[in-house]
Amino acid sequence: RVMASKTDLTNMEIADLLALLSDKKREHLNLRFQKKLGSLSNTAKIRLVKKHIARILTVINSKKVSKNV
């Protein structure tokens, strides 16, 4: 899957971002299990999912800060 761009993420509502974050965390968990079991062929995908999680968290935090200011 293609990673959403920063502008796509900033245009999303916080509830949608939280749902996407939950999905990405679940995907990260599954990838870690697959790696441990030896069935993961593309280990770089773990790093990409972690970066996507970080981007989502950054957008969520910036939205919360701008809402409080």
Side-chain angles (χ1 to χ4, degrees):
R1 290 186 289 198
V2 176
M3 194 177 310
S5 68
K6 185 178 178 190
T7 55
D8 292 341
L9 291 176
T10 54
N11 292 334
M12 294 174 73
E13 296 293 323
I14 290 182
D16 297 331
L17 288 169
L18 291 173
L20 183 61
L21 179 65
S22 175
D23 291 343
K24 289 297 173 184
K25 283 186 174 183
R26 191 173 304 113
E27 182 179 358
H28 182 250
L29 179 72
N30 289 334
L31 288 172
R32 285 187 305 153
F33 280 136
Q34 288 177 16
K35 182 181 177 189
K36 204 63 162 168
L37 295 173
S39 64
L40 183 63
S41 59
N42 184 7
T43 56
K45 188 168 172 105
I46 294 174
R47 187 174 67 244
L48 293 175
V49 171
K50 284 173 67 173
K51 286 183 179 184
H52 200 189
I53 289 171
R55 283 189 184 104
I56 295 168
L57 286 171
T58 301
V59 171
I60 289 172
N61 288 331
S62 67
K63 283 182 178 262
K64 285 182 179 178
V65 166
S66 65
K67 197 181 239 185
N68 289 337
V69 172

